[in-house]
Amino acid sequence: MIKTDILIIGAGPTGLFTVFEAGLLKLKCHLIDALPQPGGQCSEIYPKKPIYDIPAFPEVLAGTLVDNLMEQIKPFEAGFTLGERAEKLDRQEDGSYVVTTNKGTQHQAPVVVIAGGLGSFEPRKPPIANIADFEDKGVAYMVKDPEVYRDKKVVIAGGGDSALDWAIFLADVASEVSLVHRRNEFRGALDSVEKASELAKLGKIKLFTEAEVKKLYGDEKLEAVVIKHNDADKGETYLPVDNFIPLFGLSPKLGPIGNWGLEIEKNAIKVNNAKDYQTNLPGVFAIGDVNTYEGKLKLILSGFHEAAVMCQYAYQIVNPGKRYVMKYTTVGGVEGFDGSKKEAKKEVVQSIA
């Protein structure tokens, strides 16, 4: 059983920033996320997309924002359960909650914070009749361990940042990488498009544009794919492969959280925004894009604000009857659980005799 002060469902930017705000109050956090790495959509879908509305950053890449948040919370030693989905929420006699994941990992905390962005994510699967037959037998919808593809023949389908980034990365890992996209233009970052094009010229990536993977073949595991070209004159290409990775993004869903007895409105969780962003369940909060209230703005900076306010009220639940006086970081600095300390240098004023 993993025990903590605040259990955060979702390790996107809002969930990560919650660790910092909780840390200032000496509250320990643990995060659960179905994705294999922190960052939510910013890491999984558009790591190289620029974001323009983060205060003090005229422009910041989504992936860089996540890296900076991870660096910011490092002193507070948060725990992570990644690659597992929060499935069950059970309230205990003492008022705390136990959250169990789809893999049976149990977590207990007096405060649960749902910061799951738009919910849990499920891969968008291409309409290939027998694709389910090859899942975990050569077909995967995200790359968890690049070494799995060492010296293998890999086909990646998609036209966004994830498809481009992994095609570029695996060009130095796999024995053969093919990138298939139904259009001639890619939707990814310009530098990634240019790099993939250069690798194609060098023969390190096979590019199939205006084409789609339509058929999969194999006995006990994937052995080949059939690529159908939009140009009828080109027909179809039969390509022997070891792995097929369709990267068409992720579809947001509330998933099992929708069965926890929370008040739901249009696939979002209703909260009390007049006070603390608490849900209809005591001790369970929802912040970021997953919540809804009158005047809600689905912006990362809104999630950051909600995290700061929520933590003040979470402190009272974790420490009932104990008064907390908020201190600005400019005055009190930041003291990490790892013993680190950041604070402004004190000026020494000497009296003149």
Side-chain angles (χ1 to χ4, degrees), residues 29-45:
C29 293
H30 191 95
L31 301 93
I32 302 173
D33 202 295
L35 296 175
Q37 73 285 316
Q41 295 181 66
C42 288
S43 293
E44 186 66 20
I45 301 177

Side-chain angles (χ1 to χ4, degrees), residues 18-294:
T18 301
V19 175
F20 177 79
E21 288 295 325
L24 296 179
L25 303 176
K26 306 301 181 187
L27 301 177
K28 292 279 287 185
C29 293
H30 191 95
L31 301 93
I32 302 173
D33 202 295
L35 296 175
Q37 73 285 316
Q41 295 181 66
C42 288
S43 293
E44 186 66 20
I45 301 177
Y46 49 86
K48 291 191 175 182
K49 291 286 187 181
I51 302 175
Y52 301 104
D53 59 357
I54 302 298
F57 286 95
E59 177 182 335
V60 61
L61 296 181
T64 302
L65 175 64
V66 172
D67 291 341
N68 289 347
L69 285 165
M70 290 296 290
E71 182 64 26
Q72 185 179 29
I73 69 172
K74 190 176 180 180
F76 298 115
E77 300 178 328
F80 288 87
T81 298
L82 300 174
E84 299 185 30
R85 184 177 61 246
E87 290 274 348
K88 292 177 58 183
L89 176 75
D90 296 301
R91 195 174 190 197
Q92 308 302 296
E93 290 185 3
D94 63 357
S96 67
Y97 290 91
V98 170
V99 174
T100 307
T101 71
N102 61 315
K103 295 186 178 179
T105 307
Q106 291 190 314
H107 312 73
Q108 185 173 14
V111 173
V112 174
V113 179
I114 302 170
L118 295 173
S120 62
F121 292 94
E122 296 180 6
R124 292 191 174 98
K125 302 179 182 182
I128 301 174
N130 62 341
I131 192 167
D133 296 339
F134 294 103
E135 290 175 355
D136 298 323
K137 298 177 183 178
V139 171
Y141 301 105
M142 61 180 68
V143 179
K144 295 183 178 180
D145 180 8
E147 283 301 311
V148 168
Y149 306 101
R150 174 72 63 182
D151 300 325
K152 300 291 181 62
K153 293 180 179 180
V154 180
V155 171
I156 296 174
D161 284 315
S162 291
L164 286 163
D165 291 346
W166 282 118
I168 292 167
F169 186 90
L170 292 178
D172 292 325
V173 176
S175 62
E176 181 179 291
V177 174
S178 300
L179 178 58
V180 183
H181 182 40
R182 61 182 178 176
R183 296 188 177 91
N184 200 37
E185 302 81 17
F186 288 86
R187 305 184 310 277
L190 181 60
D191 64 325
S192 296
V193 176
E194 291 175 345
K195 190 166 185 179
S197 179
E198 184 62 28
L199 289 171
K201 292 176 183 177
L202 295 173
K204 299 195 72 175
I205 292 178
K206 290 183 179 181
L207 274 181
F208 295 89
T209 56
E210 298 187 82
E212 296 180 73
V213 174
K214 286 293 188 181
K215 299 176 184 177
L216 306 179
Y217 290 101
D219 291 326
E220 295 184 359
K221 62 183 184 64
L222 183 67
E223 296 175 7
V225 302
V226 171
I227 301 171
K228 184 179 180 181
H229 301 270
N230 294 347
D231 186 343
D233 292 337
K234 293 183 179 179
E236 296 181 340
T237 299
Y238 180 90
L239 197 64
V241 299
D242 299 299
N243 300 92
F244 174 45
I245 312 172
L247 298 172
F248 297 121
L250 301 169
S251 177
K253 297 179 186 292
L254 275 180
I257 291 175
N259 301 318
W260 287 3
L262 298 162
E263 190 174 353
I264 307 295
E265 182 179 287
K266 295 181 179 178
N267 208 40
I269 302 169
K270 290 190 69 174
V271 296
N272 176 8
N273 68 304
K275 184 180 179 183
D276 53 13
Y277 306 102
Q278 194 162 190
T279 70
N280 59 303
L281 301 181
V284 178
F285 300 79
I287 57 177
D289 287 356
V290 76
N291 76 11
T292 186
Y293 52 84
E294 187 177 353

